[in-house]
Amino acid sequence: MKSICWICILSILLGCSDDYLTPKPLSFITTEAGLVNAESMYSTLSASTILIRNHYMDGSFAPCMFTEYLFTEVMIDGTTDKTFPCRDMNRLVIPDGVLTDASYNRIETCWSEAYAGIKSASNVITNIDYPTYTDESERNAILGTAYFHRAFWFYLLTHRFGDAPWINSQIKEPKLNFYSTKREVILEQLKKDLEFAVRWVPEKMDKGKVSRGACYHLLTKVYLALNLFDDAVKSASAIINGDYSLMTNRFGSDKDDDTKNVIWDLHRPANKTLPENNEEIFSVIDRYGMTGNIASGMTSMYIFVPNWGNTTNAIMTPNGNPGMSELLANEIDIIHEIGRGVNKGRGTNYYTRYINDDSNDLRYTKGNWYVMEDLRYNNPAIKGKDDYYGKNLQLYDDEGNILTRDTIRNWTGGWPHYKFFIPDPIRTQPRGGNTDWYIFRLAETYLLRAEAYFWLDNKANAIADVNRVRTRAGASPLTDIANFNIGTILDERARELFYEETRKCELTRIAFTYARTGKPCYNGKTYSLSSFSESNFWYDRMMEKTEFFNKGIATVAGDEFTMSPYHVLWPIPQRVIDANSLGIINQNKGYAGYENNVAPLDKIE
């Protein structure tokens, strides 16, 4: 049988380099010949699982998930020594701009990784009846799992890029005539596929594999995207009323450490996939020494921790002396306590300061949440010469002079140490090693159901679901139903799900919901699909909550902080459009090339 030729699909949809435009013979075994049983089918799908893992931690300075967060109200890029596209978006986030560089953004990589994951799922879907199975249940479980993987990536595509080419089956020959399919049509197909998956994918699967709960969780998001709110309540309830439960008791590697708590336990690297962790729904596994792991690990302490000691005179004592040192042999050993950070993922004041509304919230207790004032001046050169040595950091001296030269990179309002402290056995200056990572867990399921109840105007049930997450963390329950709104849910999602949820996608999904339903927002505005690129909830939320884009900050490394409502959807990379020489992949409104669009496909063949 003929070998699969993915050369052109890679060049068109995945945005690879120009040499991929020239077809070359492939020497690997044909897909059909290799798919002989259930094990080989699951092995094919593992390529998508690896890509999901790489989405969060691909060994680069900033994987795709990092780019996702740059388009949210919780984080900016903290790089201040060079220009950066995701600051001056109006000028630099453009179809032919820098869209696939770990130092800048991975918009094009987000596109290419999605279609690579869709490729492995499509291979299984097309060839589902080629192997021999023990029974119908085994066959349909594999097909349902493949549907999950395809839906996972298309969900991200439709909330990052909007309309996109639909891949229905395995592509066996060069193809240059793709057309965009309507976002809503794709979501309807995902609904159908996932409704099949929840009937056939087993409830109990090994950790790291797709279970029925994972299918229900993703189906809930698709129902919300389609404004099927009653269905979203039912699918979320299928998980909540099942064998899952929020973790409330100590467990795992540090359970006997009285200085820690259940929030700390919940986010220890190996605890995420322990059998006793009933909150975990779907995770990816990445362990030190494991075959095929991320060689450099998560590097979370490098990306998200402030650049507290790397730059000369970055943080000064009130006496005017350099206060910090990241030397390994320091008497006050901060480098091993929090890691060597560069603060590339710099939390906004909204995330680091304003949503912390309860002093009893375990997510913000000392040891779980760090603020700069928790650190102590540790530069050995000032010991015995400056009486601030060993004292806690302060941002201002007695005259009100600021004591850091860079309040973006060197100083921040805080960070979730319980998430980003990951032991690093491969570096002398720890940056964050290998770790399992949550993709879906029950806390988010509660918040998804809360949102469904909110759209149904059932605020009592919505606030009850939010309170299940809050009270597990030790925070007091919310009681003000009259002022409960979508912002309340988004605040709780930010507290609980930082760098777990695909927050840009969820904000965009909510923006589409406001536009489709015409429901009034808490900000007093209503929205419509006809003017979505000119006025939408995502943009107004960004303007409301971020202290950068909404404050007219002049320049950082020559960049102004600019964005427009049309950035709610990312630009389709120009070289993806250009390579598709026999078809038309539409550009999103607001970007150059939109004028060449044609009507997107309104059905799936």
Side-chain angles (χ1 to χ4, degrees):
M1 295 184 71
K2 190 176 181 180
S3 295
I4 301 170
C5 183
W6 269 92
I7 299 298
C8 286
I9 188 69
L10 286 171
S11 65
I12 297 164
L13 295 180
L14 311 192
C16 295
S17 57
D18 291 343
D19 63 339
Y20 280 98
L21 297 175
T22 304
K24 302 179 181 67
L26 303 181
S27 60
F28 55 78
I29 192 168
T30 62
T31 297
E32 294 88 343
L35 299 178
V36 296
N37 54 26
E39 182 180 0
S40 60
M41 298 293 264
Y42 280 122
S43 179
T44 299
L45 291 173
S46 68
S48 175
T49 304
I50 291 171
L51 286 167
I52 294 173
R53 179 199 66 180
N54 293 356
H55 208 66
Y56 291 77
M57 42 181 162
D58 68 354
S60 74
F61 195 51
C64 283
M65 192 67 165
F66 183 88
T67 299
E68 167 90 12
Y69 269 71
L70 295 178
F71 289 79
T72 73
E73 79 280 46
V74 301
M75 194 183 85
I76 64 161
D77 189 286
T79 307
T80 55
D81 59 351
K82 57 186 174 183
T83 190
F84 191 79
C86 290
R87 285 195 289 262
D88 195 350
M89 295 188 189
N90 290 346
R91 184 170 63 93
L92 297 172
V93 177
I94 54 178
D96 58 354
V98 179
L99 302 179
T100 182
D101 188 313
S103 294
Y104 294 93
N105 70 73
R106 291 297 191 93
I107 287 175
E108 186 171 334
T109 309
C110 289
W111 176 278
S112 66
E113 284 191 356
Y115 279 105
I118 290 165
K119 169 191 169 182
S120 64
S122 297
N123 289 351
V124 169
I125 292 167
T126 299
N127 296 292
I128 189 62
D129 290 318
Y130 194 87
T132 300
Y133 302 106
T134 57
D135 55 27
E136 182 188 23
S137 295
E138 185 178 57
R139 174 213 184 257
N140 288 348
I142 292 169
L143 182 57
T145 303
Y147 282 156
F148 170 88
H149 280 279
R150 186 169 69 177
F152 180 92
W153 293 110
F154 267 116
Y155 179 84
L156 297 183
L157 281 170
T158 56
H159 291 93
R160 289 172 175 170
F161 300 96
D163 299 344
W166 171 260
I167 306 298
N168 198 47
S169 59
Q170 177 187 11
I171 296 176
K172 297 187 177 184
E173 59 187 17
K175 183 175 172 65
L176 299 168
N177 62 337
F178 291 98
Y179 287 84
S180 299
T181 297
K182 284 184 177 180
R183 170 183 173 273
E184 295 81 1
V185 172
I186 292 174
L187 289 168
E188 287 285 356
Q189 184 63 46
L190 304 188
K191 168 184 172 293
K192 177 181 176 182
D193 292 346
L194 290 168
E195 286 173 343
F196 177 91
V198 298
R199 294 198 303 271
W200 291 102
V201 174
E203 292 183 5
K204 299 293 184 181
M205 295 293 290
D206 293 338
K207 299 290 187 177
K209 295 183 178 180
V210 175
S211 66
R212 183 174 300 173
C215 296
Y216 267 123
H217 189 95
L218 183 55
L219 179 58
T220 301
K221 292 190 175 192
V222 171
Y223 280 147
L224 286 169
L226 289 169
N227 301 164
L228 299 172
F229 306 126
D230 285 310
D231 290 331
V233 168
K234 292 175 184 176
S235 58
S237 297
I239 305 171
I240 292 168
N241 298 334
D243 294 332
Y244 298 94
S245 59
L246 294 176
M247 298 302 290
T248 56
N249 296 320
R250 300 295 306 279
F251 72 103
S253 57
D254 294 336
K255 65 180 179 180
D256 295 324
D257 185 346
D258 293 337
T259 67
K260 307 298 183 183
N261 54 52
V262 69
I263 298 297
W264 176 266
D265 294 341
L266 193 62
H267 294 277
R268 291 304 81 224
N271 289 3
K272 297 182 178 75
T273 52
L274 285 178
E276 62 194 285
N277 185 349
N278 293 322
E279 186 166 337
E280 184 265 352
I281 296 174
F282 179 44
S283 294
V284 289
I285 298 174
D286 189 61
R287 308 282 180 84
Y288 178 69
M290 181 181 78
T291 301
N293 71 351
I294 300 294
S296 61
M298 184 71 172
T299 64
S300 52
M301 294 187 287
Y302 187 62
I303 295 172
F304 296 106
V305 171
N307 190 23
W308 55 271
N310 187 43
T311 306
T312 303
N313 301 339
I315 297 175
M316 309 294 288
T317 72
N319 291 329
N321 295 311
M324 308 303 292
S325 168
E326 61 183 18
L327 296 174
L328 294 174
N330 276 333
E331 177 184 49
I332 303 174
D333 186 7
I334 298 177
I335 192 73
H336 289 103
E337 182 181 356
I338 63 172
R340 183 201 185 272
V342 296
N343 214 18
K344 185 169 178 62
R346 200 265 194 195
T348 61
N349 283 340
Y350 161 75
Y351 173 65
T352 62
R353 300 177 192 271
Y354 302 152
I355 58 173
N356 178 5
D357 64 353
D358 193 311
S359 60
N360 295 317
D361 193 326
L362 297 178
R363 294 168 295 197
Y364 297 97
T365 54
K366 188 175 179 63
N368 276 350
W369 182 272
Y370 265 72
V371 295
M372 297 301 295
E373 290 82 358
D374 290 330
L375 308 183
R376 294 185 294 159
Y377 295 108
N378 75 332
N379 183 2
I382 67 171
K383 184 178 181 181
K385 303 175 183 177
D386 189 319
D387 56 5
Y388 280 93
Y389 177 82
K391 293 183 179 179
N392 293 87
L393 270 57
Q394 55 189 71
L395 183 56
Y396 300 98
D397 64 17
D398 293 340
E399 284 74 42
N401 298 309
I402 200 163
L403 296 174
T404 177
R405 70 179 188 182
D406 189 340
T407 56
I408 293 177
R409 195 172 192 181
N410 302 139
W411 199 278
T412 183
W415 66 96
H417 181 68
Y418 65 89
K419 282 196 175 185
F420 295 135
F421 178 77
I422 299 169
D424 186 350
I426 63 175
R427 300 180 184 87
T428 55
Q429 289 185 324
R431 297 185 178 189
N434 299 96
T435 178
D436 299 347
W437 201 259
Y438 295 117
I439 308 302
F440 300 151
R441 63 184 171 95
L442 189 63
E444 186 184 21
T445 314
Y446 273 109
L447 296 175
L448 290 172
R449 191 173 72 171
E451 186 186 334
Y453 280 132
F454 168 78
W455 294 120
L456 291 168
D457 296 320
N458 188 340
K459 288 188 177 182
N461 279 345
I463 202 170
D465 277 348
V466 171
N467 282 337
R468 290 295 300 272
V469 178
R470 286 180 61 82
T471 55
R472 187 276 295 277
S476 57
L478 301 174
T479 58
D480 187 1
I481 293 181
N483 291 312
F484 182 91
N485 56 50
I486 198 68
T488 313
I489 298 172
L490 285 171
D491 291 350
E492 196 61 37
R493 290 183 70 92
R495 295 183 193 99
E496 183 70 23
L497 300 171
F498 184 83
Y499 218 68
E500 292 179 54
E501 64 165 334
T502 50
R503 190 171 180 88
K504 186 271 173 193
C505 289
E506 308 312 313
L507 288 170
T508 300
R509 175 179 55 74
I510 291 168
F512 271 116
T513 297
Y514 273 120
R516 288 185 68 181
T517 63
K519 286 178 175 286
C521 182
Y522 66 82
N523 60 17
K525 298 180 68 172
T526 57
Y527 303 96
S528 69
L529 289 176
S530 63
S531 58
F532 190 70
S533 295
E534 294 79 37
S535 176
N536 57 69
F537 172 76
W538 170 83
Y539 177 79
D540 289 338
R541 178 80 178 177
M542 294 290 285
M543 294 300 103
E544 174 193 2
K545 297 298 183 183
T546 62
E547 71 270 26
F548 295 93
F549 292 101
N550 67 354
K551 298 298 184 186
I553 293 178
T555 59
V556 173
D559 294 334
E560 294 182 40
F561 280 82
T562 69
M563 65 165 52
S564 294
Y566 63 81
H567 288 118
V568 65
L569 295 174
W570 291 346
I572 310 296
Q574 189 61 44
R575 62 176 177 165
V576 170
I577 293 175
D578 292 343
N580 188 49
S581 59
L582 301 180
I584 295 178
I585 298 175
N586 287 339
Q587 184 56 269
N588 286 312
K589 189 174 182 180
Y591 300 103
Y594 170 77
E595 65 278 4
N596 300 321
N597 287 3
V598 298
L601 301 178
D602 59 4
K603 64 179 180 179
I604 289 174
E605 297 293 340

